[in-house]
Amino acid sequence: MPRLVVITGCTRGLGLAMARSFARREWTVAGCGTRAEACAGLQTEFGPDHTILPCDVTDPEAVSQFASDILNEHGAPDLLLNNAAVINGNAPLWEVSTDDFARVMDVNLKGVHAICRAFLPAMIARGSGVVVNFSSGWGRSTSPDVAPYCCTKWGIEGLTLALSQDLPAGLAAVPLNPGIIDTDMLRSTFGGGAADFPTPDEWAAKAVPFLEKLGARDNGRSLTVPGG
């Protein structure tokens, strides 16, 4: 029976590259994005064995419905990848608006909590599964002009390591630094310099084989994608 991966933010960037790579490797892919048209297009590309649905991870009711649909259709995920994230526009902290700061917190931290809360009970009941919460190099270091983003990714490290202590035997929670990849998010910060780094597809060729080998033995380990 194919293994199931659930990926948030799966219609663009790293999420899309991972979704396509997992599907090619004969995993069942379930995922979500905020753009309904992009979700419908990816659903058509992948076919009926996979499930791609629109869902805003900042909306608890939408997350609950998304999880219910996936669990009813496919059961508990073997891999739960909390990939959805946003970054603030480059600015010193005192110039970041309240709304922009709140948006980064809502997606990058509160969204992860909502997804974990929706899926973990089924994974715990089955007794297996790995939660991967995407961190960053800026979850273990800092840079100017991206304080809100750094705050959330440092938060992901702490949240995930604490979660790993809550989980029963057989499950794992891992904070993952994907490395530096040429994405829209990186371009918003690095500008043209982002082109010096691997594309999402190049990154996924290394990242997905690494991800699919994670297991209960990795619980509580802060990991980095090799070569990312």
Side-chain angles (χ1 to χ4, degrees):
M1 182 176 180
R3 289 173 289 177
L4 173 66
V5 59
V6 172
I7 308 171
T8 65
C10 74
T11 59
R12 62 190 302 174
L14 300 189
L16 178 58
M18 287 191 292
R20 285 174 169 157
S21 182
F22 274 110
R24 286 194 297 268
R25 297 171 75 88
E26 299 185 342
W27 282 65
T28 297
V29 176
C32 66
T34 56
R35 298 173 298 162
E37 289 185 5
C39 291
L42 194 58
Q43 179 68 66
T44 299
E45 176 185 334
F46 281 4
D49 292 337
H50 309 273
T51 304
I52 311 298
L53 298 170
C55 176
D56 182 344
V57 298
T58 69
D59 181 343
E61 290 186 5
V63 169
S64 179
Q65 185 61 58
F66 167 66
S68 177
D69 291 342
I70 298 307
L71 293 171
N72 287 336
E73 179 71 20
H74 301 289
D78 299 286
L79 267 179
L80 177 62
L81 306 183
N82 275 303
N83 161 74
V86 296
I87 196 168
N88 59 285
N90 283 9
L93 182 62
W94 60 90
E95 293 181 5
V96 177
S97 72
T98 300
D99 287 346
D100 286 348
F101 188 89
R103 175 64 176 165
V104 176
M105 300 298 136
D106 286 349
V107 176
N108 296 8
L109 279 175
K110 292 167 72 175
V112 169
H113 169 252
I115 291 289
C116 286
R117 188 171 183 270
F119 281 98
L120 268 171
M123 298 168 72
I124 291 168
R126 189 187 57 197
S128 65
V130 178
V131 178
V132 178
N133 293 331
F134 275 61
S135 179
S136 170
W138 284 336
R140 302 168 191 173
S141 65
T142 56
S143 287
D145 293 335
V146 287
Y149 183 80
C150 291
C151 173
T152 61
K153 293 306 182 179
W154 280 72
I156 285 295
E157 293 281 332
L159 180 150
T160 310
L161 295 179
L163 170 61
S164 75
Q165 296 174 304
D166 288 331
L167 292 175
L171 282 85
V174 173
L176 182 74
N177 172 16
I180 306 176
I181 307 100
D182 181 10
T183 61
D184 290 342
M185 187 181 294
L186 190 70
R187 290 185 208 114
S188 77
T189 305
F190 280 26
D196 294 335
F197 298 96
T199 67
D201 287 340
E202 291 169 338
W203 170 85
K206 295 181 179 179
V208 168
F210 176 77
L211 287 166
E212 65 183 1
K213 293 177 182 176
L214 296 178
R217 67 188 177 281
D218 297 301
N219 188 39
R221 299 178 63 198
S222 289
L223 300 176
T224 299
V225 172

